Amino acid sequence: MKKTVRICMIGAGRVGKNHSRAITRHIAGARIVAVVESVAQVREETAHEFGIENQFDSLGAALGKVDFEAVVITTPTPTHLPITALAAENKKHVFLEKPMALNLLECDAINEVTSKNSVLLQLGFMRRFDPEFVAAAQRIEAGEIGQPMMIKSNTHGPGLPPPWARDLRTSNGMLAEVNSHDWDTTRWLMGSNYERVYTEVANFKGAANNVDTPNFYDNVLVNIKFESGGLGLISGVCPCGYGYDARAEIIGEKGIMQIGELKGQAVVVCTNRDQGLITPIFRTWPERFEWAYINELEHFVTCIQNDTQPRAGGMDGRWAVAGVLAGTKSFLEERPVRLKEITGD
Amino acid sequence: MKKTVRICMIGAGRVGKNHSRAITRHIAGARIVAVVESVAQVREETAHEFGIENQFDSLGAALGKVDFEAVVITTPTPTHLPITALAAENKKHVFLEKPMALNLLECDAINEVTSKNSVLLQLGFMRRFDPEFVAAAQRIEAGEIGQPMMIKSNTHGPGLPPPWARDLRTSNGMLAEVNSHDWDTTRWLMGSNYERVYTEVANFKGAANNVDTPNFYDNVLVNIKFESGGLGLISGVCPCGYGYDARAEIIGEKGIMQIGELKGQAVVVCTNRDQGLITPIFRTWPERFEWAYINELEHFVTCIQNDTQPRAGGMDGRWAVAGVLAGTKSFLEERPVRLKEITGD
Amino acid sequence: MKKTVRICMIGAGRVGKNHSRAITRHIAGARIVAVVESVAQVREETAHEFGIENQFDSLGAALGKVDFEAVVITTPTPTHLPITALAAENKKHVFLEKPMALNLLECDAINEVTSKNSVLLQLGFMRRFDPEFVAAAQRIEAGEIGQPMMIKSNTHGPGLPPPWARDLRTSNGMLAEVNSHDWDTTRWLMGSNYERVYTEVANFKGAANNVDTPNFYDNVLVNIKFESGGLGLISGVCPCGYGYDARAEIIGEKGIMQIGELKGQAVVVCTNRDQGLITPIFRTWPERFEWAYINELEHFVTCIQNDTQPRAGGMDGRWAVAGVLAGTKSFLEERPVRLKEITGD
Amino acid sequence: MKKTVRICMIGAGRVGKNHSRAITRHIAGARIVAVVESVAQVREETAHEFGIENQFDSLGAALGKVDFEAVVITTPTPTHLPITALAAENKKHVFLEKPMALNLLECDAINEVTSKNSVLLQLGFMRRFDPEFVAAAQRIEAGEIGQPMMIKSNTHGPGLPPPWARDLRTSNGMLAEVNSHDWDTTRWLMGSNYERVYTEVANFKGAANNVDTPNFYDNVLVNIKFESGGLGLISGVCPCGYGYDARAEIIGEKGIMQIGELKGQAVVVCTNRDQGLITPIFRTWPERFEWAYINELEHFVTCIQNDTQPRAGGMDGRWAVAGVLAGTKSFLEERPVRLKEITGD
């Protein structure tokens, strides 16, 4: 049996709870030995729910008090660099939620500090571990649909993001906080980097939701030209109300592939022929990607046990941030933006 | 251009109207020149709606007054033999709705009188003309799923049949009036005749629907052993309320085939994630089998024009009636019934 | 009974044959009395197949020889204006295939000549007559999904368009010849005109298909901003090989609606568990939109009989052409293009 | 944290491995401390794969050597009573695979010995723990489709059962070894016991599979009358080849409910429009019921930790065996069989 990996969970909000549940219930090889969270009530609830013995209000407070090999960072984006740096300098492996950071300088710093300290860095792109997306990627790689020509990827989420995550002054907005996965998925499945992006946004529900931050949008469509010559589309709607909707469609030279569907559980009911059939929809991201979360965390644990590099790493995180920055610049300046304007390459 | 086939529509109820619509709107090679219906108001409505120039209250009254080559008989089952006989003796080709008749003697008489007078006889088994069932039958015939081992066929209808059609004293009940199509479909797709049947029935809604006729049932399951050794299931629910539901599933030595689905139009909506996706269901038989009705009537017209035998003929009608009689005897006597008890072969 | 509408079919290629079949088999109120086609063999085949009595090699030749009230024009786009003008000046009602014309001047001329001569003009936007699209439009209109925020519409066709239709020197290319329907559908269902468009194109199969015309593309994504503030996407792939794929997805303030699906007939087969379920796909546009073609032509005939205006008219045709011109200018100039640059409003 | 439950896994074949994987990977509250298996190679493989420290060739050998609170019994049906008795007398809680036993005397003995020794007994009816079946059951219970009138449940498995499991001299054949789940599911979802059953069987592939045991069948249809007046159907095909197919359909007074589907992963591909869409099917039972197995074993562990009664107990196991015996008698004697002939009530 491999040695149990001891984990310090940093952040105990929705994502922190989700990951704590996955680790506690489904990953025999890992144990959460401490939870770090600045809000006392949230921290205590999470510790109690998942039987975590040690609680701290900062990573600094935990270091030296409890032994652990790794951290799982689920706090807001602006905190990613300082927490990662502290963890890495203390030789802790890092599982870091998306988006990686606010800008490329921070991404570079994160990559450098983890590399310099020889700790592993895995980004929370769980779609790379979803059984359906994984099977699809393998089949594309095997040439089943030929050279990819066009990809469409969407993430439509039911509720309004929190204030910091929808304000361009404190985050990169919905394109980053909701659609990071689409940036990563399109690049991964197309097997090519973005060359140019053009973005249109719309604000339909801001007023009704009392959102008056500048440049707020709740609908976005990004048109992508890849270096391979292929085309891409990212679509975001948040809040969409109707469910958690994450699907992708790829057209290759030989055919089409659809990944995911609106439908949730296969329980179909009809009690009124004027209404029609009713089928559950995926309501939330923890439902839709339950196995993906278990698998990505198990992958992280296994990489630590075997000292191998994780599949979703720092350069993937950096590319997603670069896409977000280009996409944002595009709608602010109402023009297509080349990635090299962002990366300076 | 082929000569236009002149048709006398007999019966102007729901089926008569459905067939009148199909012929008038979609069959360029035929024209309804007369409608026969004993209820004056129904007759006049139908004549007006479909622009039929001549109206009569009986076939006898129409003969000699208007020229036509064929009749389409949509009146209740007990009238099938006398009307068919009168038509045939006057050299009119006959399209006859299912079920063919109340018993095998009547079936034999119908087959004899049409044969003796050299007129065509087609039974209203429209599933044999539905594009999906036709494609399925061809693929089974081509060996795609191997030798059929098991078939399930269901017809669940939304509303309560009329009194004569649910009373065993005036008809053969739901097994005949609703499930005739399943008797024909299972025999057709299995490529074998029934050898033995066993039937269970249930009465769940009779009281609520004020039905107190003896032996009334609104749910039925028939277990069939075919001469080929294969197994079959017929399922009937009427009134089921939730829609018009007609599907079949066949398992052969090499695989499975499903024909039809609950879903109607491909328009999927979700406005409430706690409710889920809503998709239209087939509400009625005219919706579900719109093309099948057009195609079967066009086939009849083409057979007349080309003097060829229709695909769904008198022996198919007779086998379905034999199945109904065996299935009914089975639940009345609570035992399996062999077809030869009915056919006397 | 309404008076039968006599029609002259102009063009006997794939679309001409499709419309001839729909009229001949399914529209009792109309008759094709003449076919106009310059290629003798094609003309004779079509006349023979559909029993059309008169043949001509030009509309001019037909006029005065045969009586008819209407023309159905299915010839290539550059011929639309001269043929429409000749028909209108001879007081024939006009059913005109999409795209309406090559530019807005031609659209204006078509609208003017039909108006001045008081003949009806219907554009061949058959999706407006497809039962699923019609039901969807009514439900959107009724407010079921709230104010539309985003629409995606795609047309992916199996085969390479003919040379004239894929060359920007002789047509407006795939955006016009294949995606005209999407331009009309998005504008119709959003209930708003386009304000700005941005287009990316790709050429993946040109070389393999020996296409060396300048600016050829076989993949296109158009990002649309509507006057309402809503967003739109048009996606085109031609040749896609895998089938005929036309679907739409609309997200409104209250929910999502999907129209159409990849799946064709509901006949599902599995004979190999390593391969999985196999379901027919729509192979061609005549299959996918069979009812839409019947319904649009029946609508045209009914409008003539009742002297009412058709639902898909000249201004709809003009808007689609304007969109195509803006979309094409966008990818040629690599920038977003406002519609007013095209319309000069 | 609850005390970890120590488990002895008895039987290391396909089911034993499946349950070992579920416990080892996904149940934090339990640990397999020993594996019992008479075939040395199988035992060693399983111990190695799942890191089980102790191995024995019989339960007797394990007792006293290793401490554990519970056994999971996955050995062939004829061994169920003696192993359960030995475990219970040594105060071990028992998780017992289906079918419970060969006859009702054995069922009674199992119920008695576990009850007398105050140990928990859970039957391996994992469908009662499948998220879709559980949701369906709750919705039926809540009255969503009204009083259940008819249920259809099928289990079609890809491969030929082992010799002992298809021979009526050593087991109760396919009705027991494959369709036990359907017996339990129909009774559970109908909320009623069986009153009468009628069975037809067929043998299509026996010869090709070199099976010459008397009364062998590979297709079965059971027609059930429930005490509630409702109707039921159990369908079994084994080997069916095409996949692992387990679905249920229930019709209540208010509507229909379908549980499960043929389709596996939501990855749809089309590369050939003449072939159509290809979608994965469930290939095996561990795939189809992955969560159900995790959940049933977690339930067992939780019941032990909390000293509560498991949801699928000894009386459920006994009823399924009674159904199997009645169903088998029915086809052997070619007549409907009342359950009271079997239970002697």
Side-chain angles (χ1 to χ4, degrees), chain B residues 157-183:
Chain B
L160 190 66
W164 69 267
R166 65 193 189 225
D167 190 330
L168 291 184
R169 295 165 300 192
T170 51
S171 73
N172 287 315
M174 187 167 86
L175 265 185
E177 297 297 330
V178 174
N179 293 108
S180 270
H181 297 297
D182 302 291
W183 289 102

PDB file of all heavy atoms in Angstrom, chain B residues 157-183:
ATOM      1  N   GLY B 157     -53.046   4.239 -25.312  1.00  0.00           N
ATOM      2  CA  GLY B 157     -53.773   5.369 -25.877  1.00  0.00           C
ATOM      3  C   GLY B 157     -54.298   6.283 -24.791  1.00  0.00           C
ATOM      4  O   GLY B 157     -54.600   5.830 -23.676  1.00  0.00           O
ATOM      5  N   PRO B 158     -54.411   7.562 -25.092  1.00  0.00           N
ATOM      6  CA  PRO B 158     -54.765   8.517 -24.034  1.00  0.00           C
ATOM      7  C   PRO B 158     -56.188   8.384 -23.494  1.00  0.00           C
ATOM      8  O   PRO B 158     -56.398   8.540 -22.304  1.00  0.00           O
ATOM      9  CB  PRO B 158     -54.550   9.878 -24.706  1.00  0.00           C
ATOM     10  CG  PRO B 158     -54.579   9.622 -26.181  1.00  0.00           C
ATOM     11  CD  PRO B 158     -54.102   8.217 -26.379  1.00  0.00           C
ATOM     12  N   GLY B 159     -57.167   8.104 -24.358  1.00  0.00           N
ATOM     13  CA  GLY B 159     -58.554   8.208 -23.904  1.00  0.00           C
ATOM     14  C   GLY B 159     -59.295   6.883 -23.817  1.00  0.00           C
ATOM     15  O   GLY B 159     -58.869   5.858 -24.351  1.00  0.00           O
ATOM     16  N   LEU B 160     -60.412   6.926 -23.144  1.00  0.00           N
ATOM     17  CA  LEU B 160     -61.280   5.748 -23.011  1.00  0.00           C
ATOM     18  C   LEU B 160     -61.929   5.437 -24.366  1.00  0.00           C
ATOM     19  O   LEU B 160     -62.469   6.338 -25.015  1.00  0.00           O
ATOM     20  CB  LEU B 160     -62.376   6.076 -21.984  1.00  0.00           C
ATOM     21  CG  LEU B 160     -63.273   4.950 -21.499  1.00  0.00           C
ATOM     22  CD1 LEU B 160     -62.493   3.913 -20.707  1.00  0.00           C
ATOM     23  CD2 LEU B 160     -64.409   5.509 -20.649  1.00  0.00           C
ATOM     24  N   PRO B 161     -61.862   4.179 -24.833  1.00  0.00           N
ATOM     25  CA  PRO B 161     -62.555   3.828 -26.083  1.00  0.00           C
ATOM     26  C   PRO B 161     -64.070   4.019 -25.923  1.00  0.00           C
ATOM     27  O   PRO B 161     -64.594   4.029 -24.803  1.00  0.00           O
ATOM     28  CB  PRO B 161     -62.214   2.347 -26.274  1.00  0.00           C
ATOM     29  CG  PRO B 161     -60.984   2.102 -25.441  1.00  0.00           C
ATOM     30  CD  PRO B 161     -61.118   3.042 -24.273  1.00  0.00           C
ATOM     31  N   PRO B 162     -64.791   4.166 -27.038  1.00  0.00           N
ATOM     32  CA  PRO B 162     -66.252   4.323 -26.945  1.00  0.00           C
ATOM     33  C   PRO B 162     -66.890   3.056 -26.379  1.00  0.00           C
ATOM     34  O   PRO B 162     -66.289   1.984 -26.410  1.00  0.00           O
ATOM     35  CB  PRO B 162     -66.673   4.558 -28.399  1.00  0.00           C
ATOM     36  CG  PRO B 162     -65.546   4.065 -29.247  1.00  0.00           C
ATOM     37  CD  PRO B 162     -64.307   4.202 -28.422  1.00  0.00           C
ATOM     38  N   PRO B 163     -68.104   3.170 -25.837  1.00  0.00           N
ATOM     39  CA  PRO B 163     -68.740   2.038 -25.150  1.00  0.00           C
ATOM     40  C   PRO B 163     -68.728   0.725 -25.948  1.00  0.00           C
ATOM     41  O   PRO B 163     -68.374  -0.319 -25.411  1.00  0.00           O
ATOM     42  CB  PRO B 163     -70.165   2.546 -24.901  1.00  0.00           C
ATOM     43  CG  PRO B 163     -69.986   4.030 -24.757  1.00  0.00           C
ATOM     44  CD  PRO B 163     -68.907   4.399 -25.725  1.00  0.00           C
ATOM     45  N   TRP B 164     -69.099   0.760 -27.236  1.00  0.00           N
ATOM     46  CA  TRP B 164     -69.155  -0.499 -27.996  1.00  0.00           C
ATOM     47  C   TRP B 164     -67.782  -1.156 -28.079  1.00  0.00           C
ATOM     48  O   TRP B 164     -67.685  -2.383 -28.159  1.00  0.00           O
ATOM     49  CB  TRP B 164     -69.735  -0.286 -29.399  1.00  0.00           C
ATOM     50  CG  TRP B 164     -68.833   0.508 -30.334  1.00  0.00           C
ATOM     51  CD1 TRP B 164     -68.855   1.840 -30.547  1.00  0.00           C
ATOM     52  CD2 TRP B 164     -67.772  -0.013 -31.150  1.00  0.00           C
ATOM     53  NE1 TRP B 164     -67.867   2.212 -31.433  1.00  0.00           N
ATOM     54  CE2 TRP B 164     -67.198   1.082 -31.829  1.00  0.00           C
ATOM     55  CE3 TRP B 164     -67.253  -1.293 -31.387  1.00  0.00           C
ATOM     56  CZ2 TRP B 164     -66.137   0.943 -32.715  1.00  0.00           C
ATOM     57  CZ3 TRP B 164     -66.193  -1.426 -32.272  1.00  0.00           C
ATOM     58  CH2 TRP B 164     -65.645  -0.317 -32.930  1.00  0.00           C
ATOM     59  N   ALA B 165     -66.726  -0.329 -28.050  1.00  0.00           N
ATOM     60  CA  ALA B 165     -65.377  -0.853 -28.290  1.00  0.00           C
ATOM     61  C   ALA B 165     -64.723  -1.379 -27.029  1.00  0.00           C
ATOM     62  O   ALA B 165     -63.645  -1.959 -27.078  1.00  0.00           O
ATOM     63  CB  ALA B 165     -64.508   0.221 -28.929  1.00  0.00           C
ATOM     64  N   ARG B 166     -65.358  -1.169 -25.884  1.00  0.00           N
ATOM     65  CA  ARG B 166     -64.747  -1.653 -24.639  1.00  0.00           C
ATOM     66  C   ARG B 166     -65.610  -2.735 -23.985  1.00  0.00           C
ATOM     67  O   ARG B 166     -65.332  -3.172 -22.879  1.00  0.00           O
ATOM     68  CB  ARG B 166     -64.503  -0.489 -23.693  1.00  0.00           C
ATOM     69  CG  ARG B 166     -65.753   0.195 -23.214  1.00  0.00           C
ATOM     70  CD  ARG B 166     -65.450   1.529 -22.536  1.00  0.00           C
ATOM     71  NE  ARG B 166     -66.633   2.043 -21.905  1.00  0.00           N
ATOM     72  CZ  ARG B 166     -67.064   3.295 -21.974  1.00  0.00           C
ATOM     73  NH1 ARG B 166     -66.373   4.181 -22.662  1.00  0.00           N
ATOM     74  NH2 ARG B 166     -68.162   3.669 -21.362  1.00  0.00           N
ATOM     75  N   ASP B 167     -66.636  -3.142 -24.687  1.00  0.00           N
ATOM     76  CA  ASP B 167     -67.573  -4.119 -24.129  1.00  0.00           C
ATOM     77  C   ASP B 167     -67.437  -5.420 -24.917  1.00  0.00           C
ATOM     78  O   ASP B 167     -67.603  -5.439 -26.141  1.00  0.00           O
ATOM     79  CB  ASP B 167     -68.999  -3.558 -24.258  1.00  0.00           C
ATOM     80  CG  ASP B 167     -70.015  -4.383 -23.480  1.00  0.00           C
ATOM     81  OD1 ASP B 167     -69.803  -5.609 -23.334  1.00  0.00           O
ATOM     82  OD2 ASP B 167     -71.014  -3.797 -23.038  1.00  0.00           O
ATOM     83  N   LEU B 168     -67.135  -6.502 -24.201  1.00  0.00           N
ATOM     84  CA  LEU B 168     -66.906  -7.785 -24.880  1.00  0.00           C
ATOM     85  C   LEU B 168     -68.176  -8.338 -25.529  1.00  0.00           C
ATOM     86  O   LEU B 168     -68.122  -9.280 -26.308  1.00  0.00           O
ATOM     87  CB  LEU B 168     -66.332  -8.816 -23.908  1.00  0.00           C
ATOM     88  CG  LEU B 168     -64.904  -8.552 -23.440  1.00  0.00           C
ATOM     89  CD1 LEU B 168     -64.406  -9.698 -22.560  1.00  0.00           C
ATOM     90  CD2 LEU B 168     -63.973  -8.375 -24.641  1.00  0.00           C
ATOM     91  N   ARG B 169     -69.313  -7.742 -25.209  1.00  0.00           N
ATOM     92  CA  ARG B 169     -70.553  -8.216 -25.837  1.00  0.00           C
ATOM     93  C   ARG B 169     -70.769  -7.593 -27.217  1.00  0.00           C
ATOM     94  O   ARG B 169     -71.554  -8.074 -28.008  1.00  0.00           O
ATOM     95  CB  ARG B 169     -71.755  -7.911 -24.920  1.00  0.00           C
ATOM     96  CG  ARG B 169     -71.689  -8.687 -23.609  1.00  0.00           C
ATOM     97  CD  ARG B 169     -72.647  -8.127 -22.569  1.00  0.00           C
ATOM     98  NE  ARG B 169     -72.337  -6.727 -22.255  1.00  0.00           N
ATOM     99  CZ  ARG B 169     -72.864  -6.059 -21.216  1.00  0.00           C
ATOM    100  NH1 ARG B 169     -73.724  -6.676 -20.405  1.00  0.00           N
ATOM    101  NH2 ARG B 169     -72.530  -4.815 -20.990  1.00  0.00           N
ATOM    102  N   THR B 170     -70.074  -6.500 -27.499  1.00  0.00           N
ATOM    103  CA  THR B 170     -70.273  -5.820 -28.798  1.00  0.00           C
ATOM    104  C   THR B 170     -68.986  -5.709 -29.615  1.00  0.00           C
ATOM    105  O   THR B 170     -69.014  -5.245 -30.751  1.00  0.00           O
ATOM    106  CB  THR B 170     -70.822  -4.392 -28.563  1.00  0.00           C
ATOM    107  OG1 THR B 170     -69.973  -3.732 -27.612  1.00  0.00           O
ATOM    108  CG2 THR B 170     -72.244  -4.419 -28.049  1.00  0.00           C
ATOM    109  N   SER B 171     -67.866  -6.095 -29.025  1.00  0.00           N
ATOM    110  CA  SER B 171     -66.582  -6.043 -29.747  1.00  0.00           C
ATOM    111  C   SER B 171     -65.675  -7.050 -29.068  1.00  0.00           C
ATOM    112  O   SER B 171     -66.094  -7.752 -28.158  1.00  0.00           O
ATOM    113  CB  SER B 171     -65.955  -4.652 -29.654  1.00  0.00           C
ATOM    114  OG  SER B 171     -65.450  -4.431 -28.350  1.00  0.00           O
ATOM    115  N   ASN B 172     -64.428  -7.102 -29.476  1.00  0.00           N
ATOM    116  CA  ASN B 172     -63.466  -7.913 -28.726  1.00  0.00           C
ATOM    117  C   ASN B 172     -62.624  -7.042 -27.789  1.00  0.00           C
ATOM    118  O   ASN B 172     -61.529  -7.428 -27.390  1.00  0.00           O
ATOM    119  CB  ASN B 172     -62.592  -8.722 -29.682  1.00  0.00           C
ATOM    120  CG  ASN B 172     -63.379  -9.864 -30.305  1.00  0.00           C
ATOM    121  OD1 ASN B 172     -64.114 -10.578 -29.627  1.00  0.00           O
ATOM    122  ND2 ASN B 172     -63.270 -10.000 -31.626  1.00  0.00           N
ATOM    123  N   GLY B 173     -63.142  -5.875 -27.441  1.00  0.00           N
ATOM    124  CA  GLY B 173     -62.517  -5.054 -26.411  1.00  0.00           C
ATOM    125  C   GLY B 173     -61.184  -4.454 -26.825  1.00  0.00           C
ATOM    126  O   GLY B 173     -60.816  -4.407 -28.002  1.00  0.00           O
ATOM    127  N   MET B 174     -60.469  -3.980 -25.821  1.00  0.00           N
ATOM    128  CA  MET B 174     -59.223  -3.252 -26.064  1.00  0.00           C
ATOM    129  C   MET B 174     -58.199  -4.059 -26.846  1.00  0.00           C
ATOM    130  O   MET B 174     -57.484  -3.518 -27.694  1.00  0.00           O
ATOM    131  CB  MET B 174     -58.618  -2.814 -24.730  1.00  0.00           C
ATOM    132  CG  MET B 174     -57.410  -1.903 -24.882  1.00  0.00           C
ATOM    133  SD  MET B 174     -56.957  -1.115 -23.317  1.00  0.00           S
ATOM    134  CE  MET B 174     -55.923  -2.357 -22.591  1.00  0.00           C
ATOM    135  N   LEU B 175     -58.110  -5.368 -26.563  1.00  0.00           N
ATOM    136  CA  LEU B 175     -57.124  -6.189 -27.289  1.00  0.00           C
ATOM    137  C   LEU B 175     -57.334  -6.092 -28.789  1.00  0.00           C
ATOM    138  O   LEU B 175     -56.386  -6.178 -29.572  1.00  0.00           O
ATOM    139  CB  LEU B 175     -57.237  -7.661 -26.877  1.00  0.00           C
ATOM    140  CG  LEU B 175     -56.301  -8.157 -25.778  1.00  0.00           C
ATOM    141  CD1 LEU B 175     -56.467  -9.656 -25.602  1.00  0.00           C
ATOM    142  CD2 LEU B 175     -54.854  -7.812 -26.086  1.00  0.00           C
ATOM    143  N   ALA B 176     -58.585  -5.910 -29.210  1.00  0.00           N
ATOM    144  CA  ALA B 176     -58.893  -5.803 -30.640  1.00  0.00           C
ATOM    145  C   ALA B 176     -58.874  -4.362 -31.106  1.00  0.00           C
ATOM    146  O   ALA B 176     -58.247  -4.019 -32.112  1.00  0.00           O
ATOM    147  CB  ALA B 176     -60.277  -6.406 -30.922  1.00  0.00           C
ATOM    148  N   GLU B 177     -59.552  -3.494 -30.386  1.00  0.00           N
ATOM    149  CA  GLU B 177     -59.765  -2.136 -30.885  1.00  0.00           C
ATOM    150  C   GLU B 177     -58.531  -1.253 -30.727  1.00  0.00           C
ATOM    151  O   GLU B 177     -58.328  -0.319 -31.485  1.00  0.00           O
ATOM    152  CB  GLU B 177     -60.985  -1.514 -30.200  1.00  0.00           C
ATOM    153  CG  GLU B 177     -62.306  -2.252 -30.508  1.00  0.00           C
ATOM    154  CD  GLU B 177     -62.675  -2.208 -31.994  1.00  0.00           C
ATOM    155  OE1 GLU B 177     -62.320  -1.229 -32.674  1.00  0.00           O
ATOM    156  OE2 GLU B 177     -63.293  -3.184 -32.478  1.00  0.00           O
ATOM    157  N   VAL B 178     -57.713  -1.544 -29.717  1.00  0.00           N
ATOM    158  CA  VAL B 178     -56.498  -0.740 -29.516  1.00  0.00           C
ATOM    159  C   VAL B 178     -55.244  -1.504 -29.951  1.00  0.00           C
ATOM    160  O   VAL B 178     -54.375  -0.970 -30.616  1.00  0.00           O
ATOM    161  CB  VAL B 178     -56.366  -0.311 -28.035  1.00  0.00           C
ATOM    162  CG1 VAL B 178     -55.037   0.402 -27.780  1.00  0.00           C
ATOM    163  CG2 VAL B 178     -57.543   0.583 -27.646  1.00  0.00           C
ATOM    164  N   ASN B 179     -55.174  -2.793 -29.566  1.00  0.00           N
ATOM    165  CA  ASN B 179     -53.924  -3.533 -29.762  1.00  0.00           C
ATOM    166  C   ASN B 179     -53.857  -4.364 -31.040  1.00  0.00           C
ATOM    167  O   ASN B 179     -52.901  -5.131 -31.219  1.00  0.00           O
ATOM    168  CB  ASN B 179     -53.664  -4.437 -28.552  1.00  0.00           C
ATOM    169  CG  ASN B 179     -53.364  -3.642 -27.293  1.00  0.00           C
ATOM    170  OD1 ASN B 179     -54.182  -3.570 -26.371  1.00  0.00           O
ATOM    171  ND2 ASN B 179     -52.217  -2.997 -27.269  1.00  0.00           N
ATOM    172  N   SER B 180     -54.826  -4.226 -31.933  1.00  0.00           N
ATOM    173  CA  SER B 180     -54.741  -4.945 -33.211  1.00  0.00           C
ATOM    174  C   SER B 180     -53.404  -4.718 -33.888  1.00  0.00           C
ATOM    175  O   SER B 180     -52.817  -5.627 -34.477  1.00  0.00           O
ATOM    176  CB  SER B 180     -55.845  -4.476 -34.163  1.00  0.00           C
ATOM    177  OG  SER B 180     -56.990  -5.249 -34.002  1.00  0.00           O
ATOM    178  N   HIS B 181     -52.923  -3.489 -33.807  1.00  0.00           N
ATOM    179  CA  HIS B 181     -51.646  -3.155 -34.456  1.00  0.00           C
ATOM    180  C   HIS B 181     -50.486  -3.957 -33.882  1.00  0.00           C
ATOM    181  O   HIS B 181     -49.579  -4.358 -34.598  1.00  0.00           O
ATOM    182  CB  HIS B 181     -51.352  -1.663 -34.291  1.00  0.00           C
ATOM    183  CG  HIS B 181     -52.367  -0.802 -34.950  1.00  0.00           C
ATOM    184  ND1 HIS B 181     -52.571  -0.820 -36.305  1.00  0.00           N
ATOM    185  CD2 HIS B 181     -53.258   0.091 -34.463  1.00  0.00           C
ATOM    186  CE1 HIS B 181     -53.521   0.034 -36.617  1.00  0.00           C
ATOM    187  NE2 HIS B 181     -53.969   0.592 -35.517  1.00  0.00           N
ATOM    188  N   ASP B 182     -50.527  -4.190 -32.572  1.00  0.00           N
ATOM    189  CA  ASP B 182     -49.437  -4.949 -31.948  1.00  0.00           C
ATOM    190  C   ASP B 182     -49.484  -6.415 -32.383  1.00  0.00           C
ATOM    191  O   ASP B 182     -48.449  -7.037 -32.578  1.00  0.00           O
ATOM    192  CB  ASP B 182     -49.545  -4.849 -30.423  1.00  0.00           C
ATOM    193  CG  ASP B 182     -49.503  -3.407 -29.966  1.00  0.00           C
ATOM    194  OD1 ASP B 182     -48.442  -2.783 -30.090  1.00  0.00           O
ATOM    195  OD2 ASP B 182     -50.544  -2.896 -29.518  1.00  0.00           O
ATOM    196  N   TRP B 183     -50.709  -6.950 -32.512  1.00  0.00           N
ATOM    197  CA  TRP B 183     -50.815  -8.333 -33.002  1.00  0.00           C
ATOM    198  C   TRP B 183     -50.176  -8.423 -34.385  1.00  0.00           C
ATOM    199  O   TRP B 183     -49.405  -9.330 -34.677  1.00  0.00           O
ATOM    200  CB  TRP B 183     -52.288  -8.779 -33.055  1.00  0.00           C
ATOM    201  CG  TRP B 183     -52.894  -9.002 -31.702  1.00  0.00           C
ATOM    202  CD1 TRP B 183     -53.723  -8.165 -31.029  1.00  0.00           C
ATOM    203  CD2 TRP B 183     -52.681 -10.132 -30.845  1.00  0.00           C
ATOM    204  NE1 TRP B 183     -54.050  -8.702 -29.810  1.00  0.00           N
ATOM    205  CE2 TRP B 183     -53.430  -9.912 -29.671  1.00  0.00           C
ATOM    206  CE3 TRP B 183     -51.933 -11.308 -30.952  1.00  0.00           C
ATOM    207  CZ2 TRP B 183     -53.462 -10.820 -28.622  1.00  0.00           C
ATOM    208  CZ3 TRP B 183     -51.962 -12.231 -29.907  1.00  0.00           C
ATOM    209  CH2 TRP B 183     -52.711 -11.983 -28.755  1.00  0.00           C
TER     210      TRP B 183
END
